[in-house]
């Protein structure tokens, strides 16, 4: 590769990294990783003990035997087991994570964006109302002037301000 191609590749890579989407994605991954620890702690510290009130404290120990005999644990286990407890635990973690993300991030952001949009539309609406009002006033003025002209109120017939009297102007001189 020539020096010019290397510079071009490095400039392209730098432009790629500096795009807003890549930086936002990197921040989201870091926050998501930290948030996963919080969710895991909630599941282990709150959800598992609640489930433990009705059965075992560890959801991973719930299983069903599909083909017996199902004896032993770990690598020494015999039979075919369906470990539905671990699926349930993972599902709970997902639902909790999705709920927290929705209620603490997505919903407030959507409400904020809706308020910003409503303000923008209100400003545009007020501007349109002003324009429509001005247009209506101008139409009314035009219609009044046309009506006055048709009624002869400007003295076009030689009379004094539409009265039909002869004269040269105010005061009749």
């Amino acid at each position: 590769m020539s020096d010019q191609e290397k510079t071009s590749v490095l400039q392209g890579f730098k432009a790629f990294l500096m795009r807003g989407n890549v930086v936002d994605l990197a921040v989201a991954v870091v926050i998501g990783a930290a948030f996963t620890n919080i969710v895991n702690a909630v599941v282990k510290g709150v959800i598992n003990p609640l489930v433990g009130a009705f059965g075992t404290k560890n959801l991973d120990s719930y299983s069903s035997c599909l083909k017996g005999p199902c004896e032993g644990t770990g690598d020494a286990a015999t039979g075919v087991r369906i470990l539905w407890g671990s699926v349930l635990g993972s599902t709970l973690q997902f639902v909790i994570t999705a709920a927290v993300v929705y209620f603490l991030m997505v919903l407030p952001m959507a409400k904020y964006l809706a308020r910003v949009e409503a303000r923008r539309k209100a400003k545009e609406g007020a501007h349109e109302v002003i324009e429509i009002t001005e247009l209506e006033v101008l139409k009314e003025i035009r219609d009044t002037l046309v009506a006055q002209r048709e009624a002869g109120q400007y003295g076009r017939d030689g009379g004094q301000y539409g009265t039909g009297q002869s004269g040269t102007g105010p005061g009749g001189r």
Side-chain angles (χ1 to χ4, degrees):
M1 251 187 200
S2 69
D3 288 340
Q4 193 174 33
E5 288 176 348
K6 288 180 184 177
T7 304
S8 176
V9 169
L10 289 177
Q11 287 177 346
F13 185 67
K14 180 182 175 185
F16 170 75
L17 289 179
M18 292 301 162
R19 267 200 250 158
N21 297 349
V22 174
V23 174
D24 291 343
L25 183 61
V27 169
V29 168
V30 171
I31 289 175
F35 187 68
T36 300
N37 292 333
I38 294 170
V39 171
N40 288 338
V42 168
V43 168
K44 288 179 184 176
V46 177
I47 303 296
N48 285 349
L50 288 175
V51 172
F54 301 105
T56 64
K57 189 174 180 180
N58 187 1
L59 289 176
D60 292 337
S61 65
Y62 288 103
S63 64
S64 296
C65 187
L66 195 61
K67 184 176 179 183
C70 292
E71 297 174 359
T73 58
D75 291 336
T78 59
V80 178
R81 290 183 184 211
I82 297 177
L83 303 173
W84 59 270
S86 61
V87 174
L88 179 63
S90 295
T91 302
L92 285 173
Q93 284 181 336
F94 171 77
V95 169
I96 291 170
T97 303
V100 169
V101 167
Y102 179 76
F103 289 112
L104 294 182
M105 295 178 195
V106 173
L107 193 62
M109 183 59 84
K111 287 182 179 181
Y112 170 75
L113 292 176
R115 281 195 307 260
V116 168
E117 184 66 18
R119 286 183 194 146
R120 186 185 64 79
K121 284 185 179 181
K123 286 180 182 178
E124 286 179 4
H127 186 65
E128 288 176 8
V129 167
I130 292 170
E131 288 179 3
I132 290 172
T133 305
E134 290 175 3
L135 183 62
E136 290 174 358
V137 169
L138 289 172
K139 285 180 180 178
E140 287 179 16
I141 292 170
R142 178 199 64 202
D143 294 343
T144 304
L145 290 172
V146 167
Q148 288 175 350
R149 184 176 295 154
E150 289 174 357
Q153 291 184 1
Y154 283 117
R156 295 186 115 183
D157 58 352
Q160 185 176 2
Y161 295 100
T163 61
Q165 300 174 357
S166 296
T168 58
R173 298 189 206 171

